[in-house]
């Protein structure tokens, strides 16, 4: 009896039954081969955020201006500003996302308690890293790159407001960040090779393949520029850090859960700028699990069904972020300058 056909049918059934995978984002052998548990866990120094304007703004470019790799333009089905996905069969998937924003006017931190929690509980997440942040936190950036749980995306070089800067600046902000990622991946590759782990580098993506708009701001034309550079724009439909002034993490969780539904993308930060996100994450993860949700990376979420898009980014309601066009200086890349102390 010819067994080939039933075998092929079985393989087909299995392939259809398995969820589509976006590919891998790292390797456990790499992560644990290059860093000790203590190095991965980090120290309180990781969480230091320097004072804005404590020194002159850092406007220096990365060591490589142009990425070696360019991406294919974004396919039509992923154009626009993605706020959520509509998973097939209503599958209860959500994506936790953490921005690692850093402007030119200071150095932000790395909230190691968040990453340590996610690692301990095997919760996948997506980090949108600023290029300058990756340069000022190379070890942390490489650890996130190496970790198979975590996906990285591009969050511009110094947090430029894409609604108000010119096209050349949009390109610099995006491509410098792509180039910085490549530089760190090359360094990771050298270390991997020195430990006999070169083959594990195949699991680390060669380029960042997602983009998040700083301040959620864009001009209509920004989306065309980003699509041409091959980067789908991923925003959110739920805020994980809503603050009523009390700082109570339970309030943030309750607020987030009002918006969360299958396919939601949840916005948070891991740059230690918001002060209680590390308290929100365990409560939110527990609440999501209780409601039957499973956390996946953004790329895996995008494979689960059609995306829901808008044409302009925002926090909760269209236009609720326009104040950022004037709040920050230098096209969004600088904090407001503190008032000069009065001389008597
Ligand atoms: Zn940001």
């Amino acid at each position: 009896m010819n067994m080939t056909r039933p075998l092929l049918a079985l393989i087909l059934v299995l392939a259809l039954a398995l969820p589509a995978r976006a590919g891998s984002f790292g390797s456990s052998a790499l992560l644990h081969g290059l860093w000790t548990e203590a190095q991965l866990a980090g120290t309180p120094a990781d969480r230091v955020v320097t004072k804005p304007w404590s020194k002159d703004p850092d406007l220096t470019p990365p060591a490589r201006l142009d990425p070696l790799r360019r991406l294919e333009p974004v396919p039509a089905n992923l154009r626009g500003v993605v706020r959520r996905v509509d998973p097939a069969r209503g599958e209860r998937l959500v994506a936790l996302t953490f921005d690692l924003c850093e402007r030119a006017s200071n150095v932000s931190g790395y909230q190691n308690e968040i990453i340590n929690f996610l690692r301990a509980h095997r919760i996948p997440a997506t980090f949108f890293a600023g290029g300058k942040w990756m340069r000022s936190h190379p070890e942390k950036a490489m650890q996130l790159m190496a970790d198979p749980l975590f996906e990285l995306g591009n969050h511009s070089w110094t947090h430029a407001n894409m609604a108000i800067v010119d096209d050349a600046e949009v390109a610099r902000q995006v491509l410098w960040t792509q180039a910085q990622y490549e530089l760190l991946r090359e360094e990771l590759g050298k270390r991997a090779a020195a430990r006999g782990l070169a083959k594990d580098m195949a699991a680390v993506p060669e380029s960042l393949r997602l983009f998040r708009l700083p301040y959620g701001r864009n001009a209509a034309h920004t989306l065309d520029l980003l699509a041409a550079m091959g980067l789908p724009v991923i925003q959110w439909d739920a805020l994980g850090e809503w603050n009523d002034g009390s700082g109570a993490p339970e309030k943030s969780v309750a607020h987030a859960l009002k918006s969360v539904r299958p396919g939601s993308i949840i916005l948070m930060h891991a740059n230690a700028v918001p002060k209680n996100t590390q308290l929100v994450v365990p409560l939110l993860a527990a609440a999501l699990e209780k409601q039957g949700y499973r956390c996946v990376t953004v790329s895996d979420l995008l494979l689960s069904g059609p995306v829901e898009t808008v044409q302009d980014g925002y926090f909760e309601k269209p236009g609720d972020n326009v104040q950022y066009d004037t709040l920050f200086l230098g096209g969004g890349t600088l904090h407001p300058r503190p008032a000069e102390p009065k001389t008597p």
Side-chain angles (χ1 to χ4, degrees), residues 71-72 151-154 178 205 207-211 230-232 299:
L71 305 172
E72 291 296 311
E151 173 174 33
L152 263 73
N154 181 326
Q178 295 296 101
S207 303
L208 299 171
R209 305 194 76 94
L210 304 171
F211 185 82
L231 292 163
S299 284

Side-chain angles (χ1 to χ4, degrees), residues 99-103 128 155 159 212-215 269 271:
D99 292 358
L100 294 162
C101 327
E102 186 169 291
R103 296 182 185 81
F128 288 95
H155 194 37
H159 217 259
R212 174 160 284 169
L213 297 163
Y215 312 106
H269 294 76
N271 61 351

Side-chain angles (χ1 to χ4, degrees), residues 113-158:
E113 292 168 285
I114 293 173
I115 290 84
N116 294 346
F117 174 84
L118 297 172
R119 284 193 176 125
H121 294 265
R122 314 277 320 142
I123 298 172
T126 301
F127 293 83
F128 288 95
K132 177 171 166 280
W133 184 93
M134 288 193 281
R135 186 178 65 181
S136 53
H137 302 78
E139 289 297 315
K140 298 304 166 190
M142 286 190 287
Q143 289 167 6
L144 294 174
M145 285 163 66
D147 196 321
L149 270 182
F150 304 140
E151 173 174 33
L152 263 73
N154 181 326
H155 194 37
S156 81
W157 181 250
T158 44

Side-chain angles (χ1 to χ4, degrees), residues 249-334:
E250 297 81 4
K251 299 270 182 77
S252 295
V253 173
H255 187 81
L257 291 177
K258 278 192 260 176
S259 304
V260 169
R261 53 194 168 129
S264 278
I265 299 171
I266 305 175
L267 168 67
M268 288 180 278
H269 294 76
N271 61 351
V273 173
K275 290 301 165 208
N276 69 351
T277 311
Q278 72 282 5
L279 304 177
V280 172
V281 171
L283 298 178
L284 182 60
L288 290 171
E289 191 182 5
K290 201 171 164 193
Q291 295 189 11
Y293 285 104
R294 184 162 63 86
C295 296
V296 293
T297 59
V298 167
S299 284
D300 277 340
L301 191 69
L302 292 175
L303 290 175
S304 73
V307 297
E308 200 170 290
T309 59
V310 292
Q311 288 308 304
D312 292 296
Y314 54 87
F315 284 94
E316 292 191 296
K317 291 192 171 65
D320 67 2
N321 53 351
V322 292
Q323 74 273 22
Y324 291 105
D325 291 3
T326 49
L327 203 54
F328 289 85
L329 308 174
T333 67
L334 304 171

Side-chain angles (χ1 to χ4, degrees), residues 36-284:
T36 65
E37 290 305 309
Q39 286 170 330
L40 292 174
T43 70
D46 296 333
R47 307 195 288 269
V48 171
V49 178
T50 67
K51 221 172 150 195
W53 299 105
S54 57
K55 60 183 179 70
D56 288 334
D58 183 352
L59 305 173
T60 57
R64 177 187 298 161
L65 299 183
D66 282 309
L68 301 180
R69 289 184 175 273
R70 296 293 181 119
L71 305 172
E72 291 296 311
V74 173
N77 65 317
L78 288 179
R79 297 211 178 189
V81 174
V82 175
R83 287 188 61 82
R84 63 179 293 273
V85 178
D86 194 9
R89 303 176 300 278
E91 200 179 350
R92 292 175 83 77
L93 304 175
V94 291
L96 300 182
T97 68
F98 298 89
D99 292 358
L100 294 162
C101 327
E102 186 169 291
R103 296 182 185 81
S105 44
N106 79 335
V107 175
S108 60
Y110 168 86
Q111 216 327 336
N112 56 336
E113 292 168 285
I114 293 173
I115 290 84
N116 294 346
F117 174 84
L118 297 172
R119 284 193 176 125
H121 294 265
R122 314 277 320 142
I123 298 172
T126 301
F127 293 83
F128 288 95
K132 177 171 166 280
W133 184 93
M134 288 193 281
R135 186 178 65 181
S136 53
H137 302 78
E139 289 297 315
K140 298 304 166 190
M142 286 190 287
Q143 289 167 6
L144 294 174
M145 285 163 66
D147 196 321
L149 270 182
F150 304 140
E151 173 174 33
L152 263 73
N154 181 326
H155 194 37
S156 81
W157 181 250
T158 44
H159 217 259
N161 182 329
M162 301 298 180
I164 60 174
V165 298
D166 65 21
D167 292 3
E169 179 64 6
V170 170
R172 276 191 295 273
Q173 289 280 331
V174 173
L175 297 178
W176 287 7
T177 303
Q178 295 296 101
Q180 181 63 46
Y181 175 88
E182 287 183 354
L183 290 169
L184 288 176
R185 190 181 180 279
E186 287 164 16
E187 170 63 21
L188 189 63
K190 280 184 205 155
R191 295 189 192 183
R195 296 286 179 97
L197 294 165
K199 68 174 184 351
D200 287 81
M201 285 302 294
V204 179
E206 290 179 326
S207 303
L208 299 171
R209 305 194 76 94
L210 304 171
F211 185 82
R212 174 160 284 169
L213 297 163
Y215 312 106
R217 293 288 291 139
N218 66 287
H221 182 50
T222 313
L223 303 181
D224 297 331
L225 296 173
L226 288 163
M229 288 187 276
L231 292 163
V233 176
I234 309 297
Q235 300 303 114
W236 54 79
D237 69 335
L239 300 181
E241 291 160 331
W242 183 77
N243 191 345
D244 68 344
S246 69
E250 297 81 4
K251 299 270 182 77
S252 295
V253 173
H255 187 81
L257 291 177
K258 278 192 260 176
S259 304
V260 169
R261 53 194 168 129
S264 278
I265 299 171
I266 305 175
L267 168 67
M268 288 180 278
H269 294 76
N271 61 351
V273 173
K275 290 301 165 208
N276 69 351
T277 311
Q278 72 282 5
L279 304 177
V280 172
V281 171
L283 298 178
L284 182 60

